[in-house]
Amino acid sequence: MKLSKLLGAVIAAGCLMTSAVALAQDPIVIKFSHVVAPDTPKGKGAEKFKELAEAKTGGKVKVEVYPNSQLYKDKEELEALQLGAVQMLAPSLAKFGPLGAKEFEVFDLPYIFPSKDVLVRVTTGPVGKKLFQKLESKGITGLAYWDNGFKILSANKPLLKPEDVKGLKMRIQSSKVLDAQMRALNALPQVMAFSEVYQALQTGVVDGTENPPSNMYTQKMHEVQKHGTLTNHGYLGYAVIVNKKFWDGLPADVRGQLEAAMQEATVYANDIAQTENDTALAQMAASGKTQFHTPTKEELEAWRKALLPVHKEVESRVGKDIIEAVYKEAEAAGFKMQ
């Protein structure tokens, strides 16, 4: 979306920004925009936040949730937030690299989180807080990390070993790390908005992609992908963020109530993520349209061996210190990363 269009939306939202600091009788409206389906972990988390926020503020706040890229696509939504056209987003963590916060791309590194426990240590500890601080100068306040699980690979041919991805056009989010990941497999990375992936797979514009099962299922990608491999090679998570000026301008009591609502919504969203992915995988398998392969221990090691060199390759971009900080969390949980 061009800047002029976004500025038009900002003007239309001008009264909203004023209401955050004025003693208006009308409710404060929070437009919460996201790009996935309502029945995904993120979609359900957004609805839970709406429910809790409106209840805890006694109606002082009204949350309007816009799923499925109804307002903005991947590349547009962050600019819209910064300009105040929307107040809240939950973009994937890969979106912050292009914004200038390259440290967030640590989440894109293949096999960087050897367990869910390590992931939680990172997102709820000093590393997660330090990353959110990187957004403040960009007019963004980070509120929470929401989980969507680990990614699987899909294509119209079996992907049993790293060599099987060679030459395939694989859709990725805009991320230099994900680009490097696919190139490490000798694939051809294709950056594309999430809302466009189904049609691209259907028409052969791309050959395959990577997604947690819940995203793959709710977008019906299994209808146009014959094979999937449970590599669990990468992580897809989200950061719930707000326009900093809007957030700082809220009455202190309302902001505190919204923080409490976000804490509860985060627990809810993260608790259901694994269940949603397990259910989605089972439903896709039951449909018979996609055949899924669970790698053996030896096969998984081959995938890890092919992809771990990406950590060193992008070290200067992501930051050696942030990668080592994640390694330390992994080692504290009993895993050896190097």
Side-chain angles (χ1 to χ4, degrees), residues 60-76:
K60 291 180 182 178
V61 171
K62 178 183 178 183
V63 180
E64 298 176 353
V65 179
Y66 297 90
N68 272 330
S69 304
Q70 287 179 10
L71 293 184
Y72 303 102
K73 294 183 179 180
D74 286 335
K75 294 181 180 179
E76 303 165 349

Side-chain angles (χ1 to χ4, degrees), residues 121 323-335 337:
R121 291 175 68 96
I323 294 175
E324 289 183 345
V326 175
Y327 282 2
K328 286 181 181 178
E329 295 292 355
E331 288 165 2
F335 295 92
M337 294 298 293

Side-chain angles (χ1 to χ4, degrees), residues 5-324:
K5 292 184 180 180
L6 279 175
L7 287 174
V10 173
I11 293 171
C15 292
L16 169 64
M17 297 297 291
T18 304
S19 71
V21 294
L23 298 176
Q25 292 184 350
D26 291 337
I28 299 168
V29 177
I30 297 178
K31 290 185 178 180
F32 190 162
S33 173
H34 66 82
V35 302
V36 300
D39 53 348
T40 58
K42 178 162 66 173
K44 291 183 177 182
E47 290 296 336
K48 176 60 71 172
F49 172 72
K50 169 183 170 66
E51 171 193 326
L52 292 167
E54 293 177 351
K56 288 182 181 295
T57 62
K60 291 180 182 178
V61 171
K62 178 183 178 183
V63 180
E64 298 176 353
V65 179
Y66 297 90
N68 272 330
S69 304
Q70 287 179 10
L71 293 184
Y72 303 102
K73 294 183 179 180
D74 286 335
K75 294 181 180 179
E76 303 165 349
E77 61 175 10
L78 278 170
E79 186 179 9
L81 181 87
Q82 289 175 301
L83 291 171
V86 293
Q87 291 69 51
M88 185 173 288
L89 303 174
S92 63
L93 296 164
K95 298 296 189 300
F96 299 115
L99 193 66
K102 297 175 183 177
E103 295 88 349
F104 274 89
E105 291 182 348
V106 72
F107 288 101
D108 294 338
L109 286 169
Y111 295 112
I112 187 70
F113 301 112
S115 74
K116 182 70 175 292
D117 178 55
V118 175
L119 171 66
V120 172
R121 291 175 68 96
V122 170
T123 56
T124 61
V127 177
K129 291 181 176 63
K130 181 179 179 181
L131 288 170
F132 272 160
Q133 290 172 1
K134 301 285 183 182
L135 301 177
E136 294 286 322
S137 64
K138 305 180 189 305
I140 296 171
T141 296
L143 298 181
Y145 292 94
W146 283 7
D147 187 22
N148 197 26
F150 290 89
K151 296 182 286 189
I152 65 178
L153 290 171
S154 68
N156 283 325
K157 59 174 282 189
L159 304 177
L160 306 182
K161 53 188 183 298
E163 302 91 272
D164 294 333
V165 191
K166 182 178 181 180
L168 296 184
K169 293 175 291 184
M170 300 293 288
R171 181 268 172 177
I172 60 167
Q173 298 184 74
S174 180
S175 163
K176 295 296 184 184
V177 173
L178 296 179
D179 183 276
Q181 169 193 280
M182 289 302 180
R183 293 189 187 282
L185 298 173
N186 294 306
L188 304 173
Q190 310 287 312
V191 175
M192 182 177 295
F194 184 69
S195 58
E196 299 170 3
V197 178
Y198 177 89
Q199 185 176 9
L201 291 169
Q202 185 181 42
T203 58
V205 172
V206 294
D207 300 309
T209 186
E210 57 171 13
N211 267 299
S214 64
N215 276 8
M216 185 178 178
Y217 178 66
T218 56
Q219 294 296 317
K220 300 183 179 180
M221 294 180 196
H222 64 292
E223 295 180 355
V224 288
Q225 295 279 264
K226 295 179 181 178
H227 294 274
T229 302
L230 310 187
T231 47
N232 294 325
H233 62 283
Y235 172 71
L236 180 61
Y238 309 110
V240 185
I241 57 176
V242 289
N243 177 285
K244 187 177 187 299
K245 183 178 179 181
F246 169 81
W247 190 251
D248 291 347
L250 289 171
D253 60 331
V254 172
R255 189 166 56 244
Q257 291 159 348
L258 291 176
E259 287 172 344
M262 182 56 66
Q263 287 180 346
E264 288 188 37
T266 297
V267 171
Y268 169 80
N270 290 346
D271 281 350
I272 67 170
Q274 188 60 54
T275 300
E276 293 289 316
N277 279 305
D278 291 344
T279 300
L281 187 61
Q283 290 173 324
M284 288 190 291
S287 75
K289 296 178 179 179
T290 303
Q291 181 178 343
F292 291 96
H293 173 69
T294 301
T296 64
K297 182 179 179 180
E298 292 73 22
E299 287 172 337
L300 271 179
E301 187 55 36
W303 286 104
R304 290 185 77 256
K305 185 177 180 181
L307 290 172
L308 281 178
V310 174
H311 292 203
K312 191 70 175 177
E313 180 184 341
V314 301
E315 185 177 79
S316 61
R317 176 182 175 82
V318 176
K320 184 177 181 180
D321 58 336
I322 201 77
I323 294 175
E324 289 183 345

